[in-house]
Amino acid sequence: MKNHGEARGDAIRKIAGWKRRVELGGFIGPAVFLFALFVVYPIIYLVYGSFFSWSGVGTMEWIGWANYARLAGDWIFRLALRNEVLWALFTIFPQMFLGFILAVCLNRPLFGRNIYRAILYMPAVISPVVIGIIWQSIYDPYMGPLADFLRSVGLGSWVRAWLAEPQTALFAIIAVNVWKWTGWSMIMYLAGLQGIPEEVYEAATIDGVNVFQRVTKIMWPMCRGTTLTLILLGVIGTLQEFALVYVLTKGGPNHASELLTTHIFNEAFTLRNMGYASAISVVLLIIGVVMSMLQLRYTGSGKTARGVL
Amino acid sequence: MRTLTIRQRETLGQLARHAILLPITLIWMIPIWMMFAVSLRPVSEMFSSGIGVVNPTLDNYAVVWRDNDLLIHFKNSLIITGSSVLLIMILASACAYALSFIRFRGSSTLFLFMLMTMTLPVPAVVVPLIQVLKRLNLLNNYLGLIGPYVALGIPFATVIMKNAFDGFPREIEEAARIDGCSNWGIFLRIVLPLNKPSLAVIAIWSFMQTWNEFILAMLTMTEVVMKPLILVPIIYNGMYLSFPGHLFAILSICTVPIIVFYLSMQKHFVSGLTAGAVKG
């Protein structure tokens, strides 16, 4: 039998435990609730729904792995996967090199430095819908400024309906994306360049290193971390891309510029194949999670992640 | 070359940098310049090609402002983005405080979940999310966007805030505890005020995410009066096909606030941008 004092101690501990739990609930409760309701539950629902045939209204019919089997034979899905790869390659590398060159030019004090930086980054803050509509008229083969320019320099034969031809549609959108995000790469490289200690340059100057060598042998290799971050975040950005393609081509012509996201959108909200759209979403989600794990493991954000992963 | 002084060399280097920067920056400006130029063209020049404007006029702005209630959409965007940013800041930093300062069972599991969903592609979850919103009767309701935006924003914001809190000197926390300060007291009166820069980072970051979010907004807000600003050009894209001046005036009206905001907060934008990847 416990004596009076011990029982009282238990009670106090119990109350303290409850108080602690209530307090903890106050801190994490609202965040965890919203996270569970709008992130975790939808992901579970997504996986569940990918095993059914359903249209969003009416009943759901269990069809097992049929939606996934369908993926294997879906040429649009394969085309979308190929386009994701092309999109990632032709967005990430041009914007990276251009961003690096711009950052090198802006790394040291220069007249108009802030103006250059402000203008070059500006496209990144503007809504992709607005950007899409502007570029639609830039690409206009009859009255657009790009066609005008090509005609005026005698390259009129190069003019075509860039967004309406299957061979050029995807690359025309990618060019817009590079325009939008180069300033972002530049800012990231500027941050990276600021991290190079002044002594490194001083030592190099004493060794008689010229400007070109300074850029290729010191600045570029010392920004390796930024480069890796840009590649991984670029892939993650590619997987999230939707608005620009939707506004410019809706994935057309004849699916030539289709990405996984536009394919999901068409299957789900145009064709009402919710089950099949869920299966594509699951694939996209898995690629996305793998990419963000890689990003955490191999870049700066890994500092916190390394303990967990 | 050998006869150049250091000063001359410096000038030469600056000229070289301008020679690279100037053409690229001018090309980069063309689309934004063109948006304003076309919006300022009078009807007589409406279909002239090129990117210039001969007789600038504000007629297009007057027409689209008179014919459309653009303020409603601006208000919608402000309500949705403002509430989302505020809630993300409050909920994520409270959650990060618990992860960093209070030991509890399941904390590392929770953190792992957040890390995994930090860069979740929104289009991958729209199918089930729309079903959830439909069942909760939240379509065409501000909460139907605020809820998911906050939930999708919490993981990244929590990770950033937890990083900041993990580096917070424990001596200050212990001193406060000895003085009888509760967790809420430490959080609200000491930890939060001393981590304002990180709060600014997540504020800017979540502002950019929610203000420019498109696919979920399009699917959730089907009634015109509920649509946020980002959807407005879509409504008018077809309607003003024969009046590019009107359409571009709308694009300019949608864009000017964000450009002004960006220019006035440039420093925070830059740190918000690089924090996630470089420092984070």
Side-chain angles (χ1 to χ4, degrees), chain B residues 4-17:
Chain B
L4 289 180
T5 63
I6 292 175
R7 216 202 158 85
Q8 281 170 319
R9 247 194 215 178
E10 177 65 15
T11 317
L12 207 65
Q14 290 200 350
L15 281 177
R17 284 150 75 199

Side-chain angles (χ1 to χ4, degrees), chain A residues 110-307:
Chain A
L110 184 75
F111 175 75
R113 187 192 191 188
N114 289 335
I115 300 171
Y116 282 132
R117 203 170 46 191
I119 292 172
L120 288 166
Y121 182 63
M122 206 174 278
V125 302
I126 299 175
S127 131
V129 177
V130 170
I131 285 175
I133 295 175
I134 298 173
W135 279 84
Q136 236 166 12
S137 51
I138 290 181
Y139 281 137
D140 187 306
Y142 305 106
M143 310 187 313
L146 184 57
D148 279 347
F149 171 76
L150 289 174
R151 279 191 208 103
S152 70
V153 295
L155 292 171
S157 60
W158 289 19
V159 173
R160 55 196 64 219
W162 289 281
L163 291 169
E165 286 186 17
Q167 295 86 351
T168 51
L170 181 72
F171 291 97
I173 310 173
I174 290 175
V176 180
N177 201 44
V178 170
W179 172 78
K180 185 165 167 39
W181 293 111
T182 292
W184 174 72
S185 306
M186 174 193 75
I187 301 268
M188 298 289 273
Y189 273 121
L190 273 173
L193 289 173
Q194 297 296 324
I196 301 177
E198 195 57 36
E199 299 86 65
V200 177
Y201 296 121
E202 281 163 18
T205 312
I206 293 166
D207 289 344
V209 165
N210 66 32
V211 178
F212 183 72
Q213 287 169 323
R214 187 158 82 182
V215 174
T216 55
K217 299 268 161 68
I218 300 174
M219 292 171 142
W220 176 251
M222 287 195 87
C223 281
R224 207 184 303 136
T226 309
T227 305
L228 190 58
T229 303
L230 286 178
I231 293 174
L232 289 164
L233 289 180
V235 175
I236 290 167
T238 301
L239 297 172
Q240 295 174 330
E241 188 52 56
F242 174 79
L244 215 48
V245 180
Y246 180 81
V247 175
L248 281 169
T249 63
K250 293 208 162 57
N254 193 23
H255 306 289
S257 58
E258 203 84 72
L259 293 178
L260 288 177
T261 55
T262 53
H263 194 29
I264 291 169
F265 183 85
N266 282 334
E267 286 291 340
F269 301 104
T270 315
L271 304 169
R272 295 270 147 200
N273 293 327
M274 294 292 181
Y276 186 51
S278 301
I280 309 169
S281 302
V282 169
V283 174
L284 177 60
L285 205 63
I286 291 171
I287 305 174
V289 169
V290 170
M291 286 319 298
S292 44
M293 295 283 96
L294 285 177
Q295 198 256 334
L296 291 166
R297 192 74 188 78
Y298 292 108
T299 68
S301 346
K303 256 181 269 156
T304 21
R306 220 153 277 155

Side-chain angles (χ1 to χ4, degrees), chain A residues 87-103:
Chain A
W87 182 287
L89 288 176
F90 287 94
T91 297
I92 295 171
F93 294 104
Q95 115 193 337
M96 216 169 74
F97 288 119
L98 210 50
F100 178 72
I101 292 165
L102 292 167

Side-chain angles (χ1 to χ4, degrees), chain B residues 97 134 136 138 168 221 233 238 251:
Chain B
Y97 178 87
K134 214 187 271 176
L136 294 173
L138 288 178
F168 189 81
M221 300 304 195
L251 298 186

